[in-house]
Amino acid sequence: MCTETAYTLRCEHVISRTLYCSEAPPPSRQMRKERKTCDRVIRNAVPWPPPPQFGTQAACPLANCPFEQRGGYWNCCWCGKEWNEQGRCSCVMIIDRQEYRCGHICCETCEAATES
């Protein structure tokens, strides 16, 4: 069986890796797309942090990742929380005794966190 594993990066984007089994069709020069898996593929999703063999310094595959452009530390444009260290805002707000999580993902509008 082939195995497809989707790893969530620190920035909240996802990178996938595929291990092909002997039943997977061989890559074709005529096909410009990625190699296909066998019919019995296993799919896994791995949250941050990835396992040691993946490497903790996994770079985002997006050329213009807002989180990476801000050096991994950013201020949320939705709720104002400063110094987020992962791609999703970690702010927890309490409104009328209810807990709400911001959950905003770093975007072009969010600013890099800086020392004042």
Side-chain angles (χ1 to χ4, degrees):
M1 288 184 218
C2 294
T3 304
E4 288 182 351
T5 306
Y7 298 94
T8 301
L9 302 174
R10 191 170 155 226
C11 63
E12 289 292 325
H13 292 117
V14 176
I15 189 167
S16 297
R17 295 205 173 154
T18 304
L19 297 174
Y20 298 96
C21 71
S22 59
E23 296 177 21
S28 168
R29 284 190 242 169
Q30 296 172 353
M31 293 178 60
R32 295 184 182 203
K33 295 181 182 177
E34 290 185 25
R35 182 178 177 187
K36 293 187 179 193
T37 60
C38 70
D39 293 333
R40 297 181 298 149
V41 65
I42 296 172
R43 290 183 173 86
N44 300 309
V46 179
W48 180 263
Q53 64 268 24
F54 185 81
T56 56
Q57 299 302 319
C60 182
L62 297 178
N64 297 319
C65 173
F67 176 80
E68 300 264 339
Q69 289 177 333
R70 285 151 185 75
Y73 300 97
W74 58 285
N75 302 331
C76 183
C77 69
W78 277 15
C79 71
K81 182 184 181 302
E82 297 180 339
W83 289 96
N84 284 292
E85 298 178 358
Q86 294 192 2
R88 187 175 299 274
C89 181
S90 60
C91 181
V92 177
M93 299 169 276
I94 299 174
I95 302 170
D96 294 330
R97 292 182 276 181
Q98 294 287 328
E99 206 174 88
Y100 298 95
R101 298 195 180 276
C102 176
H104 178 61
I105 293 177
C106 185
C107 71
E108 294 296 326
T109 309
C110 295
E111 296 179 352
T114 57
E115 297 286 337
S116 318

